């Protein structure tokens, strides 16, 4: 199958290309871009899309998402991370989902992503009590069917939950704590065997899908597991995906558990590398930022989720200046309630302006677009995704420029970040194939899948309400832990405006 686009405004976002579109044709051969230029011979293409009045840009890359939270979309509000986790990642009584429900949940995220311009996603998937091969296969199958490019994990925590957060033993009732402790944690060898099997079975599947290792966080996993995971990532050239310094409590955790920052700890154990992607990276110190820049690692900036949980604002300009690669992520569907990357870009374009009055630390629309494309791709170890150029994967959006969002038209990058919602997308191409067109996914029956999921929800929610009731017993104690940690001085300030002109 070969596809072409004639006479579109093309925003390549290639290195050094700036953020102004040029009029050009695009020729796609198989799953890659064969040529971009004026007056190309398109006669060999089986389909030629008329690009008149259309913008073509790279598909958006969601650098950090958790599809399991999709079942809690719109359910929770006004809780900090550690309290919210009691309900979205419950300690007691968590349900084990059937592979079919896992498939439907993932398909829901994939459908919304594809229809709103995301062509590539990093999906960090936690299952309780631990992911089975059948559940993982269901996630891969959903992305394969809907037609996204995806990098998928089996997220793991191998420490007892109450030992992953400081001060819990000061506040949680001992009988309740004993109940939580009795559940234990994942076994390292079992998880590594699961990952090896996943790499053999799924890595490179369909030319679009990859597996990655995702140890939850340096305070939630043993260093032995993290180092073994890094070895696997190196062997398979896959991302090492983790969470660091999302909340102030986690900054305190570094001091309490290790007597150093969690970034310094990662560095000391050889875990800060180019293939390391750190979700959040909010409560980092200047020394942390320097270590991260020297390693050339990536972060996923989850700007909506970070606001919803009151986690803080990542120092993105400072990270970019140090040499850290920045991708944008929606984060889980419970903490942002949508996978829509145009919403994430809009928020990312705005939030840094209230961090400091020094405009040198604000992001431009081009900065945001690059983070939402090539930045995200790099964080997923995908060198041939995230820009339009010959040889790159043919992942792109064809956007109708006659909509309200682009009328009247001024600076196209500003329109994409501040005006567009995803509703102007005429068609979405992934790997050289049109996967969505006219607001519909072409390869799955969306209505059928959504109806089936709706039918599954009453039974799921009835059981989940009981799970919520069990875990509510921890809530007052977790608020106390949150308050105690937030009273501490951790040397950086990431809630609202930074203290001085350009300071950390
Ligand atoms: Zn996350």
């Amino acid at each position: 199958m070969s596809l072409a686009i004639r006479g579109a405004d093309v925003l390549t976002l290639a290195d050094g290309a700036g953020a102004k579109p040029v009029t050009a044709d695009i020729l796609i051969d198989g799953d890659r871009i064969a040529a971009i230029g004026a007056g190309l011979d398109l006669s060999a293409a089986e389909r030629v899309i008329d690009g008149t009045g259309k913008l073509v840009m790279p598909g958006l890359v969601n650098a950090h998402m958790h599809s399991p939270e999709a079942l809690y979309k719109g359910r929770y509000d006004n809780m900090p991370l550690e309290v919210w986790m009691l309900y979205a990642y419950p300690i007691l009584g968590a349900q084990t989902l059937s592979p079919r429900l896992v498939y439907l949940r993932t398909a829901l995220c994939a459908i919304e992503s594809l229809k709103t311009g995301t062509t590539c996603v990093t999906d960090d998937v936690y299952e309780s009590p631990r992911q089975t091969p059948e559940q993982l296969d269901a996630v891969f199958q959903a992305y394969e069917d809907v037609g996204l490019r995806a990098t998928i994990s089996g997220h793991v925590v191998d420490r007892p939950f109450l030992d992953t957060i400081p001060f819990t033993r000061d506040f949680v009732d001992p009988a309740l704590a004993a109940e939580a402790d009795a559940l234990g944690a994942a076994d390292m060898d079992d998880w590594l065997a699961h990952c090896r099997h996943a790499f053999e079975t799924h890595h490179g599947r369909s030319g679009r899908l990859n597996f990655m290792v995702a140890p939850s966080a340096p305070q939630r996993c043993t260093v032995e597991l993290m180092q073994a995971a890094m070895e696997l990532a190196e062997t398979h050239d896959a991302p090492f995906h983790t969470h660091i310094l999302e909340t102030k409590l986690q900054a305190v955790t570094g001091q309490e558990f290790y007597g150093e920052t969690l970034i310094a700890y990662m560095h000391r154990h050889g875990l800060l590398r180019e293939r390391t992607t750190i979700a959040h990276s909010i409560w980092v110190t200047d020394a942390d930022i320097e270590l991260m820049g020297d390693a050339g690692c990536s972060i996923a900036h989850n700007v909506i989720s970070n606001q919803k949980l009151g986690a803080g604002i990542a120092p993105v300009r400072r990270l970019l200046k140090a040499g850290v690669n920045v991708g944008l992520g929606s984060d889980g569907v419970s903490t942002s309630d949508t996978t829509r990357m145009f919403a994430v870009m809009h928020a990312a374009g705005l939030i840094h302006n209230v961090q400091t009055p020094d405009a040198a630390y604000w992001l431009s629309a081009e900065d945001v677009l690059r983070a939402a494309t090539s930045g995200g791709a790099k964080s997923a170890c995908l060198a041939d995704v995230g820009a339009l150029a010959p040889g790159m994967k043919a992942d792109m959006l064809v956007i109708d420029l006659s909509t309200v969002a682009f009328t009247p038209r001024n600076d196209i990058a500003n329109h994409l970040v501040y005006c567009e919602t995803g509703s102007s997308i005429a068609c979405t191409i992934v790997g050289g194939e049109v996967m969505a067109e006219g607001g519909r996914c072409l390869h799955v029956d969306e209505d059928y899948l959504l109806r089936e999921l709706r039918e599954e929800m009453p039974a799921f929610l009835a059981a989940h309400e009981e799970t919520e009731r069990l875990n509510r017993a921890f809530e007052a104690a977790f608020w106390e832990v949150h308050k105690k940690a937030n009273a501490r001085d951790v040397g950086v300030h990431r809630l609202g405006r930074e203290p001085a002109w350009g300071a950390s």
Side-chain angles (χ1 to χ4, degrees), residues 64-66 69 89 124 155 241 243 246 279-280 302 331-332:
H64 186 71
M65 198 268 278
H66 302 287
E69 293 176 27
Y89 295 88
D124 186 11
H155 185 111
H241 197 90
H243 293 73
E246 176 174 0
H280 309 299
N302 305 306
D331 204 0

Side-chain angles (χ1 to χ4, degrees), residues 142-159:
Y143 285 112
E144 186 165 330
D145 292 350
V146 176
L148 256 75
R149 191 176 302 288
T151 306
I152 297 155
S153 79
H155 185 111
V156 68
V157 174
D158 75 329
R159 280 186 174 162

